[in-house]
Amino acid sequence: MKKDSLKSEIEAVYPRMVELRRQFHQFPELSFKEEKTSMQVASILKDLGLDVRTGVGGNGVVAILEGTLPGRTVALRADMDALPIQDEKTCDYRSQVDGVMHACGHDAHMASLLGVAQILQQRKEEIRGRIVFLFQHAEEQIPGGAAQMIRAGALDGVDAVYGVHLWTPLPRGVVGIREGTLMAAADSFQIQVTGKGGHGGLPHQAVDAVVTASHLVVNLQTIVSRQLDPLKSGVISVGKLQGGESFNVIAESAVLTGTVRTFDPEIRSDIQRQIGKVAEQTCQMFGAQCDYRYQWGYPAVVNHPAEACQVAEVARWMLGKDQVWEISPMMAGEDFAYYLQERPGAFCFVGAGNEQKDFVYPHHHPRFDLDEEAMKISAELMIHTALAALK
């Protein structure tokens, strides 16, 4: 497919992509609750004439475009869920759902892939093989929708799978990718500390759960700083600590929850064990009891070399070699990892930041927004990558 011809087709579809993106943005749905979103997506795909399955692994939607000639099968994925965040932007398409917001770009992912589906369906006579469009639910919440869709057969017959994430830390016009490990495994943990409540003025008669938990927060950091090889990576972050009911009462219990991010499976398992050990020993030191629970989350996103190289080559052909960056691995997590454990493929980032338009807020921020022009680049990259993979 010629570059200039495709750009013209994307320009023609772009207003519809913007319209859809803003509709999704105004009416977001949380993970595992994307009923209306998936219905809207499925309706659009059916109107395009695609073979559509709904309820795939939950709220997932799978659409199949059959080319006129036999060949390989390539899958393209977009995620659909929003986050429990209050939208603080001032714009016409601000979220209309209190406390729920598309703060990670999934609305634009859906709109981009729907545009891709429309353009490719119009050119189906030129396609050799099949293209599978995966609209996935629940990327933001463990256990995630990817594994559920895979179990429901979403990858059956698929030879390669690709995903694009619009990413505001990168400027619009840039594509970021790397071979091998791209994103971290993302786990979570909870530790409940149980002591002995008492009078705030008589601490010697109590076992202070808040003090114990506070020491535990600090002690957990020594796992990475003092027990992990400095040349290897890991993060332990305690995001929430709750304990106590009154200023003059020593708390009997406290609960802390956090996340663990790693790249190496051995480091991942070791940190899981070490957290339990540190929690138990810290609680024993203060005479408290410990209940430790660890939830295994998404594995690391590991791009297959040949497929990542292909995406990079397509992006350089589209944008120029200086606009394709080999980015460092990042500690964010993504359940696209499950697809890559099952099939060859690659995941990449398309820059969607723009300082001049004030699209500078990070993902998961209440004022997050992105440069919608980046959807053109995402659509073009997905189309050229899919066609190249089919060949």
Side-chain angles (χ1 to χ4, degrees):
M1 186 180 292
K2 293 183 178 180
K3 190 189 306 184
D4 292 340
S5 174
L6 177 57
K7 286 182 182 296
S8 297
E9 292 180 58
I10 291 174
E11 287 290 347
V13 173
Y14 176 65
R16 176 61 171 159
M17 291 164 60
V18 171
E19 178 187 10
L20 287 172
R21 185 255 165 166
R22 295 185 179 189
Q23 287 178 9
F24 292 136
H25 197 89
Q26 285 183 286
F27 303 102
E29 294 180 299
L30 294 172
S31 304
F32 301 106
K33 298 180 180 180
E34 312 91 336
E35 290 88 358
K36 293 181 180 179
T37 302
S38 62
M39 286 176 60
Q40 183 180 359
V41 167
S43 177
I44 295 169
L45 294 166
K46 288 176 182 177
D47 288 344
L48 293 176
L50 299 178
D51 179 16
V52 179
R53 289 174 56 203
T54 59
V56 181
N59 292 321
V61 178
V62 175
I64 298 175
L65 189 163
E66 292 280 358
T68 56
L69 299 171
R72 303 179 77 225
T73 298
V74 173
L76 303 174
R77 176 268 209 168
D79 33 20
M80 300 190 293
D81 54 329
L83 287 155
I85 297 173
Q86 181 64 42
D87 194 345
E88 296 181 0
K89 294 192 302 299
T90 302
C91 62
D92 294 340
Y93 51 89
R94 179 179 177 179
S95 173
Q96 302 299 302
V97 183
D98 189 48
V100 183
M101 176 188 174
H102 273 294
C104 201
H106 297 186
D107 50 348
H109 298 170
M110 288 185 282
S112 299
L113 192 55
L114 288 169
V116 168
Q118 179 176 335
I119 292 170
L120 288 175
Q121 175 69 348
Q122 293 168 351
R123 288 176 166 263
K124 64 182 297 182
E125 294 79 11
E126 305 172 26
I127 294 175
R128 180 186 296 272
R130 293 194 311 163
I131 299 178
V132 178
F133 301 95
L134 306 175
F135 288 85
Q136 181 206 307
H137 61 294
E139 185 277 325
E140 295 286 2
Q141 186 173 325
I142 297 170
Q148 294 178 333
M149 290 187 68
I150 292 168
R151 286 195 294 269
L155 290 182
D156 289 356
V158 170
D159 296 301
V161 59
Y162 298 90
V164 172
H165 201 309
L166 294 169
W167 196 243
T168 57
L170 294 178
R172 179 173 60 83
V174 167
V175 170
I177 191 168
R178 68 177 291 111
E179 298 178 18
T181 303
L182 177 68
M183 302 178 75
D187 304 324
S188 62
F189 63 89
Q190 175 180 297
I191 303 171
Q192 178 161 342
V193 177
T194 303
K196 179 182 178 183
H199 194 288
L202 302 171
H204 59 292
Q205 296 179 357
V207 175
D208 195 329
V210 168
V211 169
T212 305
S214 299
H215 279 268
L216 180 53
V217 171
V218 175
N219 290 346
L220 288 175
Q221 302 309 309
T222 64
I223 295 174
V224 172
S225 67
R226 287 296 176 266
Q227 300 179 47
L228 190 66
D229 185 338
L231 299 180
K232 297 183 178 180
S233 299
V235 171
I236 301 174
S237 293
V238 176
K240 187 176 182 180
L241 173 58
Q242 290 181 312
E245 300 291 340
S246 178
F247 78 99
N248 61 351
V249 177
I250 290 175
E252 182 159 322
S253 66
V255 178
L256 55 87
T257 56
T259 186
V260 174
R261 305 297 171 103
T262 54
F263 297 122
D264 187 301
E266 291 185 9
I267 295 296
R268 187 184 187 191
S269 297
D270 188 49
I271 287 180
Q272 183 266 339
R273 290 191 298 270
Q274 291 293 344
I275 289 176
K277 181 178 178 181
V278 169
E280 187 67 34
Q281 292 178 346
T282 301
C283 287
Q284 286 179 357
M285 182 172 64
F286 287 93
Q289 301 297 312
C290 169
D291 181 18
Y292 167 50
R293 300 179 183 182
Y294 194 91
Q295 185 175 23
W296 298 98
Y298 310 150
V301 175
V302 182
N303 280 336
H304 295 251
E307 285 69 26
C309 182
Q310 184 173 62
V311 173
E313 288 178 357
V314 168
R316 282 191 288 267
W317 174 72
M318 284 172 43
L319 304 168
K321 64 179 182 179
D322 293 338
Q323 299 303 104
V324 181
W325 298 356
E326 182 179 353
I327 57 176
S328 299
M330 62 181 67
M331 284 295 181
E334 241 287 354
D335 73 345
F336 193 85
Y338 291 117
Y339 298 115
L340 296 177
Q341 288 186 336
E342 298 292 328
R343 297 291 188 275
F347 192 71
C348 71
F349 296 93
V350 168
N354 191 325
E355 292 185 3
Q356 294 180 345
K357 297 181 181 180
D358 201 33
F359 298 136
V360 296
Y361 293 96
H363 292 249
H364 296 208
H365 189 281
R367 295 183 66 183
F368 172 83
D369 206 350
L370 52 77
D371 190 338
E372 291 171 328
E373 295 276 336
M375 292 193 293
K376 298 178 187 178
I377 298 173
S378 175
E380 185 180 3
L381 181 62
M382 283 191 281
I383 290 171
H384 282 307
T385 296
L387 295 179
L390 289 175
K391 295 177 181 178

